Amino acid sequence: MHILHHPVEFAQHCNSIRALAQAVTFVPTMGALHRGHAELIGQACARGRCMVSIFVNPTQFNSIQDLQRYPTTLDADRSLCERLGVDAIFTPDAEALYPFPSPGHVSVTGLDSLWEGAHRPGHFQGVTTVLAKLFHLVGPCTAFFGRKDFQQWRVVQRMVDEFFFPVALEAVPCVRDLDGLALSSRNHRLTERNRQQAQAIPRALGAVAQAYTLGERRADELRRTLSSTLEGSGLSVEYAALVDPATLVPAQSQVDQPVALVAATAGSVRLIDNCWLGVDDASGLVTLATGH
Ligand code: PAF
């Protein structure tokens, strides 16, 4: 497995693979890899020579504490990538990716100002800026993203379509722990009590998925189910919404295949999760919500 630090070296490596007529696949990450990443990387390795970037991107954090607290587990990340058959890891330092003191940026408008965008101003601009850089370095490829970050995935799709990046996108369903919590690099900071509180999120998504499966299509009713399960959980809920999967605007009256989005804080840990009703396999969530 190659470990590359320099952007030009990484771009040359990706070009050399395409020169052999082999497909390049790409999984961008911020490290602290868990089973959710392993799922993305496994799929990417099965589809071509897989590149994984590990870079904690400072421009997408809107709090310095959040950036400083972000875990780094490079040795473990390296072994996991090696085991999964990754071709190369790209771990640049911040100066290599942001060589100028007042950096430019790439942004998409509209989708980036709702939900996460409203609560974390500038976050998506940081994400699209770093991905624009990484996509330019990797070149034509298939890139894999987790659907846990539903809005990020939509924002990235928009960027690729709007700016004609030669990148095919694949979205991989969310991976969950046994208690239903979506895997996230932030979960290790949850205390036992916070973790119990956090379990209300998959329970709420399960309750709404169950209602949808039983035929409920009234947006207000589905919204009520989502919110009532979160009430009294001890979580501080930022939003619990039912949205149109393409535009991310709140779903109106009768809905077909909307996405339930939740963001909430347990203790000091901010968590996001979602369920795409009628599309995601929500059987595990429904079991949690109904007990059978
Ligand atoms: O989802 C993430 O881990 C990050 O937002 C990404 C896509 C690697 C960009 O820094």
Side-chain angles (χ1 to χ4, degrees):
M1 188 173 71
H2 305 266
I3 309 282
L4 306 169
H5 303 285
H6 196 278
V8 173
E9 184 186 33
F10 180 50
Q12 282 168 348
H13 181 74
C14 296
N15 281 334
S16 71
I17 290 171
R18 275 185 300 270
L20 299 171
Q22 292 184 357
V24 172
T25 57
F26 177 43
V27 183
T29 80
M30 298 205 295
L33 304 181
H34 49 63
R35 281 187 294 119
H37 294 109
E39 183 63 35
L40 301 180
I41 295 170
Q43 294 201 18
C45 287
R47 298 269 300 276
R49 298 265 293 268
C50 173
M51 309 296 134
V52 172
S53 63
I54 297 182
F55 178 65
V56 182
N57 173 35
T59 63
Q60 70 187 76
F61 287 83
N62 36 6
S63 126
I64 188 82
Q65 289 94 323
D66 198 23
L67 172 63
Q68 283 165 348
R69 279 195 304 234
Y70 205 82
T72 40
T73 56
L74 203 53
D75 289 342
D77 295 352
R78 224 172 135 142
S79 332
L80 178 72
C81 288
E82 191 126 44
R83 272 203 311 281
L84 291 168
V86 167
D87 177 272
I89 293 181
F90 176 50
T91 56
D93 57 27
E95 290 71 35
L97 273 199
Y98 291 99
F100 297 102
S102 40
H105 57 255
V106 173
S107 55
V108 297
T109 50
L111 287 179
D112 68 336
S113 55
L114 300 160
W115 314 117
E116 283 304 282
H119 285 86
R120 304 179 66 191
H123 166 69
F124 285 120
Q125 181 173 295
V127 171
T128 44
T129 298
V130 78
L131 285 176
K133 289 169 187 256
L134 292 168
F135 285 167
H136 279 306
L137 294 174
V138 178
C141 68
T142 303
F144 291 73
F145 288 84
R147 211 154 64 207
K148 167 173 177 286
D149 297 303
F150 192 88
Q151 187 173 4
Q152 169 172 280
W153 175 52
R154 282 295 192 227
V155 165
V156 175
Q157 269 185 325
R158 171 71 62 82
M159 178 184 90
V160 164
D161 290 348
E162 186 170 353
F163 296 102
F164 307 109
F165 282 93
V167 174
L169 296 176
E170 290 281 342
V172 176
C174 178
V175 179
R176 297 179 179 281
D177 259 330
L178 285 178
D179 63 0
L181 216 62
L183 295 188
S184 158
S185 307
R186 292 189 167 90
N187 288 359
H188 81 284
R189 289 201 285 116
L190 291 167
T191 62
E192 207 170 305
R193 182 176 147 69
N194 295 157
R195 180 141 193 142
Q196 265 167 15
Q197 295 170 330
Q199 287 160 6
I201 300 174
R203 268 204 316 278
L205 293 172
V208 80
Q210 162 84 340
Y212 187 86
T213 308
L214 293 175
E216 183 60 79
R217 293 293 182 273
R218 289 167 299 174
D220 284 347
E221 267 316 305
L222 292 168
R223 240 176 237 122
R224 227 187 315 277
T225 303
L226 189 62
S227 307
S228 64
T229 319
L230 291 167
E231 254 162 42
S233 62
L235 292 171
S236 155
V237 178
E238 283 180 14
Y239 58 81
L242 200 73
V243 306
D244 179 287
T247 60
L248 301 182
V249 299
Q252 304 290 327
S253 51
Q254 291 283 319
V255 291
D256 191 33
Q257 301 190 329
V259 184
L261 296 176
V262 176
T265 305
S268 63
V269 185
R270 189 170 184 281
L271 301 163
I272 60 170
D273 202 344
N274 71 78
C275 180
W276 192 349
L277 303 178
V279 176
D280 282 336
D281 171 12
S283 50
L285 290 174
V286 171
T287 306
L288 282 173
T290 59
H292 47 78

